[in-house]
Amino acid sequence: MTLRRLNPQKLHNSKWSKVAPENKEKHFMVVKLLLAEDESRQVEHVVLEAVLTRRQWTMPWQKLLDEAQWKQGW
């Protein structure tokens, strides 16, 4: 797994492309950041939305670091 550096606080509205598209969903946008409920308030998860289908799902933001699965931008 190749990792890139990201600032999780700046992920909101960022655009991503899936390396291996599923269900004709290739392009995605981060529509929401989910913060930890403790006093740190650090980003734990992101909500991604598929551009084509508008389907949304939540995943840990660290998964976007995997260049084998995700590319930044469209």
mmCIF file of all heavy atoms in Angstrom, residues 7-10 32-45 61-62:
data_model
loop_
_atom_site.group_PDB
_atom_site.id
_atom_site.type_symbol
_atom_site.label_atom_id
_atom_site.label_comp_id
_atom_site.label_asym_id
_atom_site.label_seq_id
_atom_site.Cartn_x
_atom_site.Cartn_y
_atom_site.Cartn_z
ATOM 1 N N ASN A 7 -4.201 16.324 5.019
ATOM 2 C CA ASN A 7 -4.669 16.992 6.224
ATOM 3 C C ASN A 7 -6.160 16.705 6.314
ATOM 4 O O ASN A 7 -6.939 17.215 5.497
ATOM 5 C CB ASN A 7 -4.409 18.497 6.129
ATOM 6 C CG ASN A 7 -4.870 19.241 7.354
ATOM 7 O OD1 ASN A 7 -5.625 18.721 8.171
ATOM 8 N ND2 ASN A 7 -4.419 20.467 7.483
ATOM 9 N N PRO A 8 -6.601 15.888 7.281
ATOM 10 C CA PRO A 8 -8.013 15.506 7.339
ATOM 11 C C PRO A 8 -8.954 16.697 7.524
ATOM 12 O O PRO A 8 -10.109 16.642 7.116
ATOM 13 C CB PRO A 8 -8.086 14.539 8.519
ATOM 14 C CG PRO A 8 -6.851 14.784 9.305
ATOM 15 C CD PRO A 8 -5.819 15.295 8.354
ATOM 16 N N GLN A 9 -8.472 17.804 8.096
ATOM 17 C CA GLN A 9 -9.319 18.971 8.301
ATOM 18 C C GLN A 9 -9.665 19.650 6.970
ATOM 19 O O GLN A 9 -10.620 20.420 6.900
ATOM 20 C CB GLN A 9 -8.627 19.986 9.225
ATOM 21 C CG GLN A 9 -8.350 19.461 10.616
ATOM 22 C CD GLN A 9 -9.618 19.195 11.412
ATOM 23 O OE1 GLN A 9 -10.644 19.810 11.172
ATOM 24 N NE2 GLN A 9 -9.539 18.271 12.341
ATOM 25 N N LYS A 10 -8.901 19.379 5.925
ATOM 26 C CA LYS A 10 -9.113 20.033 4.631
ATOM 27 C C LYS A 10 -9.745 19.113 3.593
ATOM 28 O O LYS A 10 -9.736 19.416 2.401
ATOM 29 C CB LYS A 10 -7.781 20.576 4.102
ATOM 30 C CG LYS A 10 -7.223 21.661 5.006
ATOM 31 C CD LYS A 10 -5.973 22.254 4.441
ATOM 32 C CE LYS A 10 -5.490 23.372 5.354
ATOM 33 N NZ LYS A 10 -4.311 24.040 4.825
ATOM 34 N N LYS A 32 -19.070 15.508 3.848
ATOM 35 C CA LYS A 32 -19.184 15.762 5.281
ATOM 36 C C LYS A 32 -18.011 15.134 6.017
ATOM 37 O O LYS A 32 -17.535 14.062 5.635
ATOM 38 C CB LYS A 32 -20.502 15.174 5.804
ATOM 39 C CG LYS A 32 -20.840 15.534 7.217
ATOM 40 C CD LYS A 32 -22.238 15.026 7.575
ATOM 41 C CE LYS A 32 -22.642 15.502 8.938
ATOM 42 N NZ LYS A 32 -23.975 15.009 9.303
ATOM 43 N N LEU A 33 -17.547 15.807 7.064
ATOM 44 C CA LEU A 33 -16.525 15.268 7.958
ATOM 45 C C LEU A 33 -17.184 14.906 9.274
ATOM 46 O O LEU A 33 -17.954 15.701 9.817
ATOM 47 C CB LEU A 33 -15.429 16.308 8.208
ATOM 48 C CG LEU A 33 -14.698 16.865 6.989
ATOM 49 C CD1 LEU A 33 -13.702 17.921 7.414
ATOM 50 C CD2 LEU A 33 -14.024 15.767 6.204
ATOM 51 N N LEU A 34 -16.908 13.717 9.774
ATOM 52 C CA LEU A 34 -17.452 13.283 11.055
ATOM 53 C C LEU A 34 -16.339 13.329 12.087
ATOM 54 O O LEU A 34 -15.306 12.678 11.928
ATOM 55 C CB LEU A 34 -18.041 11.881 10.941
ATOM 56 C CG LEU A 34 -19.157 11.744 9.895
ATOM 57 C CD1 LEU A 34 -19.603 10.305 9.780
ATOM 58 C CD2 LEU A 34 -20.322 12.642 10.230
ATOM 59 N N LEU A 35 -16.565 14.105 13.144
ATOM 60 C CA LEU A 35 -15.543 14.349 14.161
ATOM 61 C C LEU A 35 -15.714 13.420 15.348
ATOM 62 O O LEU A 35 -16.823 12.962 15.647
ATOM 63 C CB LEU A 35 -15.616 15.798 14.636
ATOM 64 C CG LEU A 35 -15.552 16.871 13.545
ATOM 65 C CD1 LEU A 35 -15.715 18.251 14.162
ATOM 66 C CD2 LEU A 35 -14.271 16.775 12.760
ATOM 67 N N ALA A 36 -14.623 13.193 16.054
ATOM 68 C CA ALA A 36 -14.654 12.398 17.284
ATOM 69 C C ALA A 36 -15.493 13.138 18.325
ATOM 70 O O ALA A 36 -15.501 14.364 18.362
ATOM 71 C CB ALA A 36 -13.242 12.177 17.802
ATOM 72 N N GLU A 37 -16.168 12.392 19.138
ATOM 73 C CA GLU A 37 -17.016 13.005 20.148
ATOM 74 C C GLU A 37 -16.255 13.355 21.420
ATOM 75 O O GLU A 37 -16.821 13.961 22.319
ATOM 76 C CB GLU A 37 -18.198 12.095 20.462
ATOM 77 C CG GLU A 37 -19.139 11.979 19.276
ATOM 78 C CD GLU A 37 -20.402 11.219 19.596
ATOM 79 O OE1 GLU A 37 -20.706 11.012 20.793
ATOM 80 O OE2 GLU A 37 -21.084 10.826 18.643
ATOM 81 N N ASP A 38 -14.992 12.996 21.486
ATOM 82 C CA ASP A 38 -14.200 13.364 22.657
ATOM 83 C C ASP A 38 -13.714 14.807 22.510
ATOM 84 O O ASP A 38 -14.039 15.494 21.546
ATOM 85 C CB ASP A 38 -13.031 12.390 22.866
ATOM 86 C CG ASP A 38 -12.058 12.366 21.693
ATOM 87 O OD1 ASP A 38 -12.109 13.268 20.844
ATOM 88 O OD2 ASP A 38 -11.249 11.431 21.632
ATOM 89 N N GLU A 39 -12.920 15.260 23.425
ATOM 90 C CA GLU A 39 -12.477 16.656 23.421
ATOM 91 C C GLU A 39 -11.514 16.981 22.281
ATOM 92 O O GLU A 39 -11.332 18.145 21.940
ATOM 93 C CB GLU A 39 -11.850 17.026 24.757
ATOM 94 C CG GLU A 39 -10.639 16.184 25.109
ATOM 95 C CD GLU A 39 -10.174 16.392 26.529
ATOM 96 O OE1 GLU A 39 -11.017 16.402 27.441
ATOM 97 O OE2 GLU A 39 -8.964 16.550 26.706
ATOM 98 N N SER A 40 -10.937 15.970 21.633
ATOM 99 C CA SER A 40 -9.987 16.232 20.544
ATOM 100 C C SER A 40 -10.681 16.775 19.291
ATOM 101 O O SER A 40 -10.105 17.545 18.548
ATOM 102 C CB SER A 40 -9.226 14.961 20.183
ATOM 103 O OG SER A 40 -10.067 14.050 19.502
ATOM 104 N N ARG A 41 -11.930 16.332 19.034
ATOM 105 C CA ARG A 41 -12.709 16.771 17.875
ATOM 106 C C ARG A 41 -11.961 16.549 16.561
ATOM 107 O O ARG A 41 -12.091 17.315 15.621
ATOM 108 C CB ARG A 41 -13.133 18.236 18.007
ATOM 109 C CG ARG A 41 -13.905 18.564 19.260
ATOM 110 C CD ARG A 41 -15.246 17.910 19.349
ATOM 111 N NE ARG A 41 -16.147 18.478 18.350
ATOM 112 C CZ ARG A 41 -17.242 17.888 17.929
ATOM 113 N NH1 ARG A 41 -17.590 16.735 18.428
ATOM 114 N NH2 ARG A 41 -18.008 18.444 17.027
ATOM 115 N N GLN A 42 -11.171 15.488 16.508
ATOM 116 C CA GLN A 42 -10.417 15.157 15.302
ATOM 117 C C GLN A 42 -11.334 14.461 14.289
ATOM 118 O O GLN A 42 -12.288 13.790 14.667
ATOM 119 C CB GLN A 42 -9.263 14.235 15.663
ATOM 120 C CG GLN A 42 -8.328 14.861 16.660
ATOM 121 C CD GLN A 42 -6.906 14.876 16.161
ATOM 122 O OE1 GLN A 42 -6.554 14.150 15.262
ATOM 123 N NE2 GLN A 42 -6.104 15.717 16.757
ATOM 124 N N VAL A 43 -11.011 14.605 13.017
ATOM 125 C CA VAL A 43 -11.776 13.939 11.968
ATOM 126 C C VAL A 43 -11.552 12.436 12.078
ATOM 127 O O VAL A 43 -10.417 11.970 12.110
ATOM 128 C CB VAL A 43 -11.340 14.436 10.569
ATOM 129 C CG1 VAL A 43 -12.059 13.658 9.481
ATOM 130 C CG2 VAL A 43 -11.592 15.929 10.433
ATOM 131 N N GLU A 44 -12.640 11.684 12.154
ATOM 132 C CA GLU A 44 -12.548 10.221 12.217
ATOM 133 C C GLU A 44 -13.012 9.572 10.921
ATOM 134 O O GLU A 44 -12.421 8.605 10.469
ATOM 135 C CB GLU A 44 -13.385 9.676 13.379
ATOM 136 C CG GLU A 44 -12.768 9.917 14.725
ATOM 137 C CD GLU A 44 -13.500 9.176 15.833
ATOM 138 O OE1 GLU A 44 -14.654 8.751 15.627
ATOM 139 O OE2 GLU A 44 -12.905 9.031 16.905
ATOM 140 N N HIS A 45 -14.109 10.084 10.350
ATOM 141 C CA HIS A 45 -14.694 9.502 9.150
ATOM 142 C C HIS A 45 -15.078 10.612 8.174
ATOM 143 O O HIS A 45 -15.235 11.766 8.569
ATOM 144 C CB HIS A 45 -15.952 8.696 9.501
ATOM 145 C CG HIS A 45 -15.663 7.487 10.313
ATOM 146 N ND1 HIS A 45 -15.501 7.528 11.676
ATOM 147 C CD2 HIS A 45 -15.507 6.200 9.957
ATOM 148 C CE1 HIS A 45 -15.265 6.315 12.130
ATOM 149 N NE2 HIS A 45 -15.255 5.483 11.097
ATOM 150 N N TRP A 61 -11.390 8.208 7.094
ATOM 151 C CA TRP A 61 -10.709 9.065 6.119
ATOM 152 C C TRP A 61 -9.361 8.489 5.702
ATOM 153 O O TRP A 61 -8.891 8.728 4.596
ATOM 154 C CB TRP A 61 -10.553 10.493 6.638
ATOM 155 C CG TRP A 61 -9.543 10.656 7.735
ATOM 156 C CD1 TRP A 61 -9.774 10.603 9.077
ATOM 157 C CD2 TRP A 61 -8.137 10.888 7.582
ATOM 158 N NE1 TRP A 61 -8.599 10.784 9.766
ATOM 159 C CE2 TRP A 61 -7.570 10.962 8.868
ATOM 160 C CE3 TRP A 61 -7.301 11.040 6.487
ATOM 161 C CZ2 TRP A 61 -6.222 11.177 9.088
ATOM 162 C CZ3 TRP A 61 -5.947 11.260 6.703
ATOM 163 C CH2 TRP A 61 -5.423 11.325 8.002
ATOM 164 N N GLN A 62 -8.751 7.671 6.553
ATOM 165 C CA GLN A 62 -7.431 7.113 6.256
ATOM 166 C C GLN A 62 -7.443 6.209 5.014
ATOM 167 O O GLN A 62 -6.415 6.013 4.372
ATOM 168 C CB GLN A 62 -6.879 6.333 7.458
ATOM 169 C CG GLN A 62 -6.537 7.203 8.638
ATOM 170 C CD GLN A 62 -7.712 7.401 9.595
ATOM 171 O OE1 GLN A 62 -8.858 7.157 9.262
ATOM 172 N NE2 GLN A 62 -7.404 7.847 10.805
#
